[in-house]
Amino acid sequence: MLSYTEAFTLIQEQFQKIKLETETVHIEDAFHRTLAEDIISDINLPPFDNSAVDGYAVKYDGKITEWEIVGEISAGNFTEIKLTKNNTVKIMTGAKIPENCTAIIPIEDVEIENNSLKLITDSKYIKGMNIRNCSTDISFGEIAVTKNTYLKSRHLASIASCGKNNIKVFKKLKFGILATGDELIPVNEKPKDDKIRISNTYSLIGEVQDVNQEYINYGIVKDNKEIIKGKAHQILKSDIDILLTTGGVSVGEYDYLKDVFEELGVKKIFWCAFIKPGKPCYFGTYSKGNKTKLIFGLPGNPVSSQVNFKVYIKENVKNLFGIENTPQIKAELLNDLKKEDKKRHFMNGILKRVNDKYFISSKFSQSSGNMVELSKANCLIIIEEEHLNPKKGEVVKCIPM
Ligand code: AMP
Ligand code: MG
């Protein structure tokens, strides 16, 4: 059976082949989108030499400490005034500096009497102080924000200053989500007898939204091969990029997904990897024309499907869209853990930071059916293949969530 790393690599290879389409969005809709073009400045920034403070513009002369006030310039209201070494102009932050201005003395460092400005005793001023020179931020024609940048608020300010209202970004991936199982009923119904409420679809919707992608919820289908096949066929013909099914992919009597995928022309890449939870995960591709969809048959157990998404899919989507990867954190175990096989385990844990050190505790059952336990955890503890029964005090890696 494939190891976790081998399975991840096979998935990564397919993600790396995805050629994202592009679209144009207004700058107001560009937050958390990924740039599909370099943003080039159409001006110098700042566009003119300007004042960094509210103060008085002077022509620097080290010996002079008194000037005659001859005018005022505020931001956006420039007036031509030529400074001599004996006069000064009141100037506001962001205002264009007057001719001959070589220093701006902050308002806090001066005293005013009638029309005369005096440097406060002990205050110093030096040549060039508080002047923001033209193009010190960026020059005309230079790249302000590079292609593939995942846009945060700080980038939006740069883009706006470069004069770009409409921005080319990569289109989001569209995930189709389909739940299978005779036992599943909608959330707003109360389960009777052997029924359970559908839950996987909602954790997966959350995961997809967490990486700012789109989804279509295809609902629930019964464990009936023809019905599943009909629905899967409809979804494969649609414009989704990635299909996530849950359930019906293990070795049970009514686990039809693998056969259905094969009959519909999905190319199997692997089924099952040596991990826990989430061993019976199916991965394949479906190609039509020049478009290839990635097909994930995730296990039905609620913890398994979430863990599979996190450890197989999430970081690949992040890489594709230039989103920072989730950092893995090393932490000291506060209790022993039970791991008796050589699978790669991803266990629920609680990560805590005390001063500069991280600690992990885990009293959870680790049952792949216990989604409420998973919801109480804040990290997945990674226990590597050869590492058996980790003991209190050992350092392990974890993925915060
Ligand atoms: P399966 O992979 O179909 O054998 O399902 C494994 C377990 O996960 C069973 O206990 C199912 O009832 C449960 N299960 C399957 N699909 C879902 C779902 N969408 N939401 C919650 N539990 C599910
Ligand atoms: Mg099932």
Side-chain angles (χ1 to χ4, degrees):
M1 198 181 296
L2 289 179
S3 69
Y4 167 69
T5 307
E6 287 166 334
F8 181 85
T9 304
L10 290 171
I11 294 169
Q12 186 179 44
E13 278 168 15
Q14 296 305 320
F15 267 96
Q16 285 168 347
K17 287 185 197 162
I18 295 177
K19 293 262 173 301
L20 293 173
E21 290 174 32
T22 62
E23 63 184 340
T24 300
V25 295
H26 188 262
I27 187 167
E28 287 183 22
D29 301 315
F31 182 66
H32 279 177
R33 301 299 302 269
T34 302
L35 268 185
E37 61 175 337
D38 288 333
I39 301 294
I40 294 168
S41 186
D42 67 343
I43 52 168
N44 295 318
L45 280 175
F48 46 85
D49 296 345
N50 68 91
S51 177
V53 292
D54 294 322
Y56 285 85
V58 296
K59 181 177 182 184
Y60 176 82
D61 180 314
K63 286 166 248 142
I64 292 176
T65 56
E66 241 185 283
W67 302 265
E68 185 199 352
I69 304 170
V70 295
E72 180 184 298
I73 308 173
S74 62
N77 298 301
F78 184 67
T79 25
E80 294 278 0
I81 299 169
K82 198 169 174 176
L83 294 182
T84 66
K85 59 181 184 165
N86 298 110
N87 66 17
T88 181
V89 164
K90 187 173 189 182
I91 191 163
M92 263 48 91
T93 307
K96 182 171 165 178
I97 62 171
E99 198 179 334
N100 288 337
C101 166
T102 50
I104 300 177
I105 307 171
I107 223 155
E108 297 82 359
D109 291 352
V110 292
E111 286 170 345
I112 297 147
E113 236 183 75
N114 301 322
N115 245 7
S116 151
L117 182 81
K118 251 198 215 155
L119 197 66
I120 291 176
T121 328
D122 292 341
S123 289
K124 290 205 166 56
Y125 74 108
I126 56 169
K127 199 169 182 178
M129 77 192 279
N130 298 317
I131 294 175
R132 301 191 288 212
N133 286 115
C134 173
S135 63
T136 43
D137 201 5
I138 196 168
S139 297
F140 166 86
E142 285 180 349
I143 298 175
V145 191
T146 51
K147 187 176 167 178
N148 295 321
T149 300
Y150 183 64
L151 298 175
K152 304 280 189 68
S153 43
R154 63 182 187 275
H155 302 116
L156 296 178
S158 295
I159 293 172
S161 301
C162 291
K164 287 283 280 186
N165 241 335
N166 296 306
I167 303 158
K168 203 160 111 183
V169 296
F170 290 113
K171 273 193 182 167
K172 295 182 179 189
L173 293 173
K174 202 182 273 180
F175 286 75
I177 303 173
L178 175 68
T180 71
D182 284 349
E183 72 278 35
L184 302 178
I185 60 161
V187 177
N188 59 355
E189 289 179 20
K190 191 121 187 188
K192 284 197 213 92
D193 305 324
D194 59 350
K195 303 293 184 234
I196 59 164
R197 288 191 177 115
I198 177 175
S199 65
N200 293 344
T201 295
Y202 300 99
S203 52
L204 292 175
I205 287 173
E207 290 290 357
V208 169
Q209 289 181 324
D210 197 31
V211 282
N212 290 301
Q213 307 300 311
E214 285 177 358
Y215 71 89
I216 297 180
N217 180 1
Y218 285 100
I220 308 169
V221 283
K222 297 266 179 225
D223 290 315
N224 170 304
K225 192 170 169 192
E226 285 317 304
I227 295 176
I228 296 175
K229 193 169 170 182
K231 193 75 181 181
H233 187 53
Q234 177 209 334
I235 300 172
L236 291 177
K237 281 193 304 185
S238 76
D239 67 345
I240 60 138
D241 303 289
I242 299 182
L243 172 59
L244 307 175
T245 63
T246 60
V249 78
S250 191
V251 291
E253 195 68 34
Y254 304 99
D255 290 343
Y256 297 121
L257 255 309
K258 296 187 298 303
D259 292 345
V260 162
F261 286 146
E262 190 179 341
E263 288 169 25
L264 290 173
V266 175
K267 185 171 160 259
K268 181 179 116 179
I269 294 180
F270 72 79
W271 174 58
C272 290
F274 209 50
I275 74 169
K276 189 178 178 178
K279 182 179 80 160
C281 176
Y282 173 99
F283 175 56
T285 55
Y286 179 79
S287 300
K288 197 98 206 206
N290 57 3
K291 199 167 168 186
T292 297
K293 301 181 196 301
L294 307 190
I295 313 298
F296 290 90
L298 306 177
N301 275 310
V303 177
S304 308
S305 57
Q306 288 183 57
V307 168
N308 275 179
F309 191 98
K310 286 183 201 296
V311 305
Y312 285 144
I313 303 174
K314 197 163 201 166
E315 298 310 301
N316 280 311
V317 175
K318 287 186 169 186
N319 287 338
L320 199 56
F321 284 86
I323 307 173
E324 307 93 273
N325 291 111
T326 318
Q328 293 188 355
I329 292 177
K330 283 187 178 166
E332 187 181 313
L333 278 176
L334 291 172
N335 54 271
D336 296 353
L337 295 175
K338 192 170 159 198
K339 176 183 182 275
E340 289 167 338
D341 62 48
K342 292 194 171 178
K343 291 187 189 118
R344 169 83 55 113
H345 284 222
F346 298 96
M347 296 182 174
N348 301 332
I350 293 185
L351 179 70
K352 260 191 293 203
R353 189 178 154 160
V354 182
N355 301 323
D356 273 343
K357 230 180 139 187
Y358 287 96
F359 297 90
I360 295 189
S361 58
S362 181
K363 294 273 192 294
F364 298 111
S365 73
Q366 311 299 341
S367 159
S368 57
N370 291 358
M371 67 213 101
V372 178
E373 296 244 288
L374 173 64
S375 77
K376 290 176 182 164
N378 68 1
C379 73
L380 289 178
I381 309 169
I382 307 168
I383 309 292
E384 298 195 351
E385 288 74 358
E386 300 301 321
H387 196 174
L388 300 179
N389 297 317
K391 293 269 171 288
K392 178 180 171 180
E394 285 184 37
V395 172
V396 291
K397 278 189 283 190
C398 74
I399 311 167
M401 56 179 191

